[in-house]
Amino acid sequence: MALRIARHGRGWQVRPSDILRVGPGFDLGGFDTSATPGFDGGKAAGEAAIATLGGRLSELQEKLYAESRAGGSRAVLLVLQGMDTSGKGGISRHVLGMVDPQGVQVRSFGVPTPEERRHHYLWRIRRALPRAGRIGVFDRSHYEDVLVVRVDGLVDGDPWLERYREIERFERQTEEAGITVVKCALMISPDEQLARLAERLERPEKFWKYNPSDIDARERWDDYMHAYQDVFDHTSTPSAPWHVIPADRKWYARLAVTQLLVDTLTDMNPSWPPPGFDVSAERARLGALLTERADADREPPASRRKGRRKGR
Amino acid sequence: MALRIARHGRGWQVRPSDILRVGPGFDLGGFDTSATPGFDGGKAAGEAAIATLGGRLSELQEKLYAESRAGGSRAVLLVLQGMDTSGKGGISRHVLGMVDPQGVQVRSFGVPTPEERRHHYLWRIRRALPRAGRIGVFDRSHYEDVLVVRVDGLVDGDPWLERYREIERFERQTEEAGITVVKCALMISPDEQLARLAERLERPEKFWKYNPSDIDARERWDDYMHAYQDVFDHTSTPSAPWHVIPADRKWYARLAVTQLLVDTLTDMNPSWPPPGFDVSAERARLGALLTERADADREPPASRRKGRRKGR
């Protein structure tokens, strides 16, 4: 019997990280992409929860930013993976859209450019890491180099185990540099994907999101699931675990990612930096300036909204 | 007598670019920072107009982004300058916050880092230009190198005319690369600044935004105004004019910048790219796949929201 009282946030029965994190024996084959694990409530409750969490996320990010301005180096990196139409772009728009754009850096990784191709596959990734105080979002990521690159046979040999180790090392270095990595894979069913692709063919303003090759990728669906399973088995570490998120219901995927970010930032516990100056002394200094200007104007200090420049 | 019927957008009596753009003989000395030029309406009407314009701005940016995905190279760069507390950060948060974060790149320019100092002052600027399809925001910019650097005497000699020419050349190259430059200076009165600084000393969560040296900068207010006047006189070009925006009223400054961006993007006239594929053929291909899956399931096609993976 499900608990009726939310233990963690409104509607969540368990901390989503606990239920969505890849654990030993995780099997993608039996994964239900239409489920809403851990959340007791439907779409309306989910969307209400997202709106509430948005304020919290925004405040936590602002604290992290303030911390960075005082010399802190911490940041968050959200890695988003998933098949075409799984909703990665929607996470950027609807979840990160609740945060000050100054604190967000979204980066999409498509087919490498000729310049990127001349470098190691992590080269473009390292250059895109978020600056201190920001939430970075990778819409696709270095994992493309063990997913599409593997399924499409774009490199010779069998470098996957080596790449997993390389990626693990890279993520450890990233964490050591102060960037907390949150990895989310959005999983949809083939049926759901088909419906979403069909939607893109309905209106001319959606055509640009459609690519005939997306259909070809569908034909290798099982190969992709196999590659994802291997990624989860080999690159889910205690400090940078994978979260596998059912994404047939967009509201649930957005809610889960929002809550994961809020929980991550809450654990990081950023705080308003202490003032690097004497608050009383500065208040006195400003007070004196206010009095001085009022005297100079030979009238009571202008009220906030009526302040005018006096012939300067 | 003011026109009573808005000619351009709700409440605007004139296109804001026409009234805010620096023209011949522009005199900062007589500039009223508390005015709301060109807009017939108060704060409530202004905020309603911003919300309406937000949807338009978001759609225009998405079109620009779509265009870039189809090979387009166009982008917009919003350059924000202004004294401390003039509201540059609020523009990022409240105006660009209405746009998909994937389409926005905000970059602040503070005191140069040791690495930046080893390069030409435009080095860090060039590296931060927005990618195709995005709206880039510079919160402070290359103009710091002819403003604070000049007022504080941070370089030898009198290189300002040379720098203005250099900046003009740089902006022309930027425009030639497809990036439309929109330059806005937010102007507040010394009284308004004092009130806003005092606000930052009221609550611990605002302390990090306060810097005692901001008060020192106030003592050189006239020098700053002189430096700004020179910047407007020398770097306002037909293709990248300066807009000087009264910013004592935050709502007006935000409205003006939103409308300037909407007008700029409307003039750029981005359009949904034509499909690079045969729409009918792709629709038929998807239709066949839908039928095939329905048959395989030996039941009617699953409805959108009930789609489930069938044992894959």
Side-chain angles (χ1 to χ4, degrees), chain B residues 8-193:
Chain B
H8 185 83
R10 184 179 180 81
W12 286 105
Q13 307 305 306
V14 291
R15 193 173 151 109
S17 176
D18 290 339
I19 201 162
L20 298 171
R21 197 174 51 227
V22 166
F26 173 83
D27 178 15
L28 194 52
F31 190 78
D32 182 357
T33 59
S34 70
T36 59
F39 188 75
D40 181 27
K43 187 176 179 183
E47 288 179 343
I50 292 173
T52 305
L53 285 167
R56 181 100 186 97
L57 182 61
S58 176
E59 192 197 327
L60 284 161
Q61 187 279 319
E62 194 182 348
K63 279 187 180 177
L64 198 68
Y65 186 78
E67 186 184 278
S68 78
R69 290 284 296 271
S73 61
R74 297 196 297 174
V76 171
L77 173 62
L78 174 66
V79 173
L80 292 176
Q81 285 291 155
M83 302 291 283
D84 291 314
T85 79
S86 59
K88 302 180 293 296
I91 298 285
S92 288
R93 177 184 280 264
H94 297 281
V95 178
L96 282 308
M98 298 187 291
V99 177
D100 189 333
Q102 209 165 358
V104 178
Q105 286 175 253
V106 182
R107 181 63 196 276
S108 322
F109 293 98
V111 176
T113 63
E115 187 191 13
E116 288 169 351
R117 221 182 295 268
R118 280 195 298 274
H119 293 87
H120 187 273
Y121 68 94
L122 289 175
W123 178 77
R124 62 176 184 166
I125 304 293
R126 289 184 202 275
R127 288 161 55 96
L129 288 172
R131 292 193 298 282
R134 273 75 169 186
I135 301 176
V137 180
F138 283 178
D139 179 338
R140 304 186 186 273
S141 66
H142 41 299
Y143 285 99
E144 290 295 296
D145 290 281
V146 288
L147 289 165
V148 63
V149 169
R150 178 177 182 183
V151 171
D152 284 0
L154 300 179
V155 295
D156 295 332
D158 198 33
W160 317 119
L161 286 175
E162 188 192 322
R163 286 198 173 185
Y164 298 146
R165 279 197 302 271
E166 208 163 42
I167 287 172
E168 197 182 322
R169 199 160 51 235
F170 161 69
E171 290 178 356
R172 198 170 52 239
Q173 289 163 353
T174 301
E175 300 247 340
E176 283 164 5
I179 302 172
T180 300
V181 181
V182 181
K183 299 190 293 201
C184 294
L186 307 181
M187 305 310 284
I188 52 172
S189 69
D191 283 354
E192 180 65 22
Q193 191 195 46

Side-chain angles (χ1 to χ4, degrees), chain A residues 210-229:
Chain A
Y210 183 90
N211 188 330
S213 70
D214 297 346
I215 304 287
D216 307 330
R218 279 179 64 79
E219 285 164 19
R220 290 186 291 276
W221 193 276
D222 289 342
D223 295 339
Y224 270 106
M225 291 307 111
H226 180 70
Y228 268 106
Q229 178 75 52

Side-chain angles (χ1 to χ4, degrees), chain A residues 187-215:
Chain A
M187 306 309 283
I188 52 171
S189 69
D191 282 353
E192 179 65 20
Q193 191 195 47
L194 207 51
R196 292 184 186 180
L197 286 172
E199 237 172 42
R200 293 183 175 179
L201 285 180
E202 279 167 20
R203 293 198 308 276
E205 65 265 36
K206 298 285 177 194
F207 288 170
W208 65 276
K209 295 187 177 186
Y210 183 90
N211 188 330
S213 70
D214 297 346
I215 304 287

Side-chain angles (χ1 to χ4, degrees), chain A residues 243-255:
Chain A
H243 301 89
V244 185
I245 301 176
D248 281 358
R249 296 171 204 262
K250 290 179 182 173
W251 69 264
Y252 176 80
R254 291 171 191 169
L255 171 63

Side-chain angles (χ1 to χ4, degrees), chain A residues 47-310:
Chain A
E47 288 179 343
I50 292 172
T52 304
L53 286 167
R56 181 101 186 96
L57 182 61
S58 176
E59 192 197 326
L60 284 161
Q61 188 279 319
E62 193 182 348
K63 280 188 178 175
L64 197 70
Y65 186 79
E67 188 185 279
S68 78
R69 289 284 297 268
S73 62
R74 298 196 296 172
V76 171
L77 173 62
L78 174 66
V79 173
L80 293 176
Q81 285 290 154
M83 302 291 282
D84 292 315
T85 78
S86 60
K88 302 180 295 294
I91 298 284
S92 289
R93 176 184 281 263
H94 297 281
V95 177
L96 282 308
M98 299 187 291
V99 177
D100 190 336
Q102 208 165 359
V104 178
Q105 287 175 252
V106 181
R107 181 64 198 273
S108 322
F109 292 99
V111 175
T113 63
E115 188 191 13
E116 289 170 349
R117 220 182 294 269
R118 280 194 298 275
H119 293 86
H120 187 272
Y121 69 93
L122 289 174
W123 178 77
R124 63 176 184 168
I125 303 293
R126 289 185 202 276
R127 289 162 56 97
L129 287 171
R131 293 193 298 280
R134 273 76 169 188
I135 302 176
V137 180
F138 283 178
D139 180 338
R140 304 188 186 272
S141 67
H142 42 300
Y143 285 99
E144 291 294 298
D145 290 281
V146 288
L147 289 166
V148 62
V149 170
R150 180 177 181 184
V151 171
D152 284 359
L154 301 179
V155 295
D156 295 331
D158 199 32
W160 318 119
L161 286 175
E162 187 193 320
R163 287 197 171 184
Y164 298 146
R165 279 196 304 271
E166 208 164 42
I167 287 173
E168 197 182 321
R169 198 159 54 236
F170 162 69
E171 289 178 357
R172 198 169 54 240
Q173 290 164 351
T174 301
E175 299 248 339
E176 282 163 6
I179 302 172
T180 300
V181 181
V182 180
K183 299 189 293 200
C184 295
L186 308 180
M187 306 309 283
I188 52 171
S189 69
D191 282 353
E192 179 65 20
Q193 191 195 47
L194 207 51
R196 292 184 186 180
L197 286 172
E199 237 172 42
R200 293 183 175 179
L201 285 180
E202 279 167 20
R203 293 198 308 276
E205 65 265 36
K206 298 285 177 194
F207 288 170
W208 65 276
K209 295 187 177 186
Y210 183 90
N211 188 330
S213 70
D214 297 346
I215 304 287
D216 307 330
R218 279 179 64 79
E219 285 164 19
R220 290 186 291 276
W221 193 276
D222 289 342
D223 295 339
Y224 270 106
M225 291 307 111
H226 180 70
Y228 268 106
Q229 178 75 52
D230 268 5
V231 161
F232 299 148
D233 289 346
H234 290 281
T235 66
S236 207
T237 61
S239 70
W242 272 103
H243 301 89
V244 185
I245 301 176
D248 281 358
R249 296 171 204 262
K250 290 179 182 173
W251 69 264
Y252 176 80
R254 291 171 191 169
L255 171 63
V257 173
T258 309
Q259 186 73 56
L260 285 169
L261 286 174
V262 166
D263 289 347
T264 299
L265 277 155
T266 302
D267 289 348
M268 290 170 76
N269 195 25
S271 54
W272 300 116
F277 52 87
D278 181 334
V279 176
S280 315
E282 290 298 320
R283 281 180 181 151
R285 200 168 159 219
L286 276 185
L289 283 169
L290 282 161
T291 310
E292 185 186 302
R293 289 200 69 86
D295 290 349
D297 288 349
R298 296 178 189 280
E299 63 177 59
S303 78
R304 284 287 327 267
R305 288 297 129 221
K306 291 183 181 156
R308 274 192 302 275
R309 298 178 66 215
K310 298 289 173 187

